[in-house]
């Protein structure tokens, strides 16, 4: 059988339930789908490929999934450093009103997509204004973007659309998309419990459920936010979401740093997932999310970078390292292990998005989002344990090839679907 793509010769870290590693393995891909994963000798005997990637001396693994970001914030990278979350929000909201529009968002997202492809990130959940421009830009590059309408009840939204008109606009957007397909699903973004009133959150959640959409909300990012919401509504953010009936398997919370025991139990009881953003949480002085307790309770936890203005990079592999390290500070070196951290960036991230049957591991029937990591550098040798190498030694610059939906977007560290120099030039002209 002739197939579209064959990746062979390297060790394949499948990230399946058993944690299978195929030495000298291969991945066969056709029409964006993984047809087979196994020993190279067996797979290459079964298929003839129109295109091939020689992964000899490399590690092949699922593409990394960024479960919380604001891609177009590359436009503001470095402009809000060393401030609290609340100080950060005050600055950024003003700049967004001044700077944002479809063209600027497209330019900023183009740079973000280039950065992400280079870092082995094959898809991201992106909450931001002018999502249509972001989506078109990602589509042109062949990159997987999960996005949709964003709700934030502020006096002067960058797109000029008041809340009262946003529900109808969002309904039209969701209707035009249709339902979930392949490695994507419809998404709605409700910014937070402090930027939207309870009745607004209920309306947005009802719309999300009407279309089977994922609902993504910032919640409990720091103690000040929690106190602000508690004073205003008499409940902490997660308590408020629970009382409104919003917790559930189609809700993904960003950050979830300041949580109580009962709140963690509520997340577990309802099947609500969390996007852990260790780098931005540390940088903004928010604290450290109780990830070991969340995992022990059975909560699905993915990894996010947040925007490039609060974390300064879109490096999910860097977030893997932080997640594997910071939770050990309490004295337990097993709090979040290397394998768990890598899973959070792959299969657990896919599950957090409700796409675990399509993304996050290299298994037959799933979409072919994968990366090839070059093991030739001194800091990666010897390779005793691929999980540990990824979590504690690898850098995003070690990623050599990136494949999304069976299409090679980067080969030998050269981008093939996006003009990186042009993207840089356009963005530099804006700032």
């Amino acid at each position: 059988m002739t197939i579209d793509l064959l990746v062979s010769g390297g060790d394949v870290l499948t990230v399946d339930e058993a944690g299978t590693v195929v030495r000298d393995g291969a991945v066969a891909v056709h029409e964006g789908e993984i047809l087979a994963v196994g020993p190279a000798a067996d797979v290459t005997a079964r298929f003839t490929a129109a295109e091939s990637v020689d992964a000899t001396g490399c590690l092949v693994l699922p593409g990394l999934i960024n479960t919380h970001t604001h891609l177009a914030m590359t436009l503001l990278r470095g402009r809000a450093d060393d401030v609290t979350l609340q100080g950060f929000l005050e600055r950024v909201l003003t700049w967004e009103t001044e700077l944002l529009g479809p063209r600027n968002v497209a330019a900023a997202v183009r740079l973000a997509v280039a950065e992400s492809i280079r870092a082995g990130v094959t898809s991201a959940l992106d909450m931001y204004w002018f999502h249509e421009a972001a989506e078109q830009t990602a589509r042109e590059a062949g990159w997987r973007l999960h996005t949709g309408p964003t709700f934030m009840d502020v006096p002067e939204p960058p797109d000029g659309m008041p809340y009262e008109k946003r529900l109808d606009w969002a309904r039209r957007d969701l209707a035009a998309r249709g339902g979930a397909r392949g490695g994507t699903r419809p998404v709605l973004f409700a910014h937070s419990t402090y930027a939207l009133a309870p009745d607004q959150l209920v309306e947005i959640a009802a719309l999300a459920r009407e279309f089977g959409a994922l609902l993504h909300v910032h919640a409990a990012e720091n103690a000040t936010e929690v106190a602000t919401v508690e004073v205003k509504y008499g409940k902490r953010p997660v308590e408020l979401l629970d009382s409104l009936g919003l917790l559930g398997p189609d809700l993904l919370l960003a950050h979830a740093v300041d949580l109580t025991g009962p709140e963690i139990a509520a997340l577990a009881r309802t099947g609500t997932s969390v996007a852990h953003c260790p780098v931005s949480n540390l940088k903004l002085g928010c604290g450290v999310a109780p990830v070991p307790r969340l995992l022990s309770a059975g909560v699905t936890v993915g990894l996010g970078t947040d925007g490039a203005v609060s974390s300064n990079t879109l490096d999910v592999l860097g977030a893997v390292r932080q997640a594997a390290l910071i939770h050990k500070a309490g004295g337990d070196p097993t709090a979040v292990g290397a394998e768990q951290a890598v899973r959070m960036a792959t299969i657990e991230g896919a599950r957090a998005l409700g796409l675990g049957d399509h993304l996050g591991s290299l298994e037959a029937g799933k979409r072919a989002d994968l990366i090839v990591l070059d093991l030739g550098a001194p800091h990666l040798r010897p390779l005793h344990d691929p999980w540990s190498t990824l979590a504690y030694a690898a850098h995003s610059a070690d990623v050599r090839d990136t494949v999304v939906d069976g299409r090679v977007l980067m080969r030998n560290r050269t981008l093939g679907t996006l003009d990186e120099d042009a993207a840089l030039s356009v963005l530099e002209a804006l700032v």
Side-chain angles (χ1 to χ4, degrees), residues 198-385:
D199 61 329
Q200 293 173 328
L201 290 166
V202 170
E203 288 179 327
I204 298 163
L207 181 61
R209 288 168 179 165
E210 178 183 340
F211 285 90
L214 175 72
L215 180 63
H216 190 39
V217 182
H218 294 93
E221 191 168 354
N222 74 352
T224 301
E225 175 207 323
V226 170
T228 299
V229 174
E230 194 167 19
V231 167
K232 195 170 184 179
Y233 300 115
K235 297 181 185 295
R236 295 162 54 89
V238 172
E239 288 179 329
L240 179 61
L241 293 169
D242 194 16
S243 71
L244 297 174
L246 270 61
L247 297 187
D250 291 324
L251 177 66
L252 173 59
L253 300 182
H255 304 297
V257 172
D258 192 317
L259 298 178
T260 64
E263 288 170 342
I264 292 172
L267 297 181
R269 168 176 51 80
T270 57
T272 304
S273 299
V274 167
H276 178 34
C277 303
V279 177
S280 69
N281 292 160
L282 289 173
K283 183 167 174 280
L284 290 169
C286 294
V288 178
V291 169
R293 294 168 61 199
L294 288 166
L295 295 174
S296 294
V299 176
T300 298
V301 180
L303 280 181
T305 62
D306 214 343
V309 68
S310 60
S311 67
N312 296 69
T313 78
L314 302 173
D315 180 6
V316 172
L317 199 53
V320 169
R321 182 176 300 182
Q322 287 287 357
L325 291 175
I326 59 173
H327 302 289
K328 303 182 194 312
D332 180 5
T334 68
V336 174
E339 180 174 344
Q340 181 65 61
V342 173
R343 286 184 176 277
M344 286 161 60
T346 52
I347 186 60
E348 297 305 319
R351 288 170 177 155
L353 298 178
L355 294 169
D357 290 337
H358 303 280
L359 305 174
S361 63
L362 301 183
E363 300 179 83
K366 289 197 172 186
R367 304 311 297 172
D369 290 9
L370 61 88
I371 61 176
V372 178
L373 190 134
D374 189 350
L375 295 172
H379 64 274
L380 298 175
R381 305 308 291 257
L383 180 68
H384 292 301
D385 181 340

Side-chain angles (χ1 to χ4, degrees), residues 41-129:
D42 296 342
V43 175
T44 55
R46 294 171 54 195
F47 301 103
T48 300
E51 185 177 11
S52 62
V53 172
D54 183 356
T56 302
C58 300
L59 184 65
V60 182
L61 65 147
L64 306 177
I65 298 171
N66 191 343
T67 58
H68 177 68
T69 191
H70 315 286
L71 292 175
M73 279 188 170
T74 53
L75 189 66
L76 301 172
R77 194 190 324 252
R79 289 193 63 179
D81 293 339
D82 306 323
V83 295
T84 65
L85 171 63
Q86 281 65 38
F88 165 86
L89 290 170
E90 289 173 7
R91 296 186 187 192
V92 167
L93 289 173
T94 299
W95 293 330
E96 286 175 336
T97 301
E98 297 171 355
L99 291 172
L100 295 186
R103 290 182 63 187
N104 287 9
V105 165
V109 169
R110 192 168 292 111
L111 190 69
V113 170
E115 179 182 350
S116 297
I117 293 171
R118 286 201 170 279
V121 180
T122 53
S123 67
L125 181 63
D126 180 41
M127 176 194 288
Y128 214 53
W129 307 101

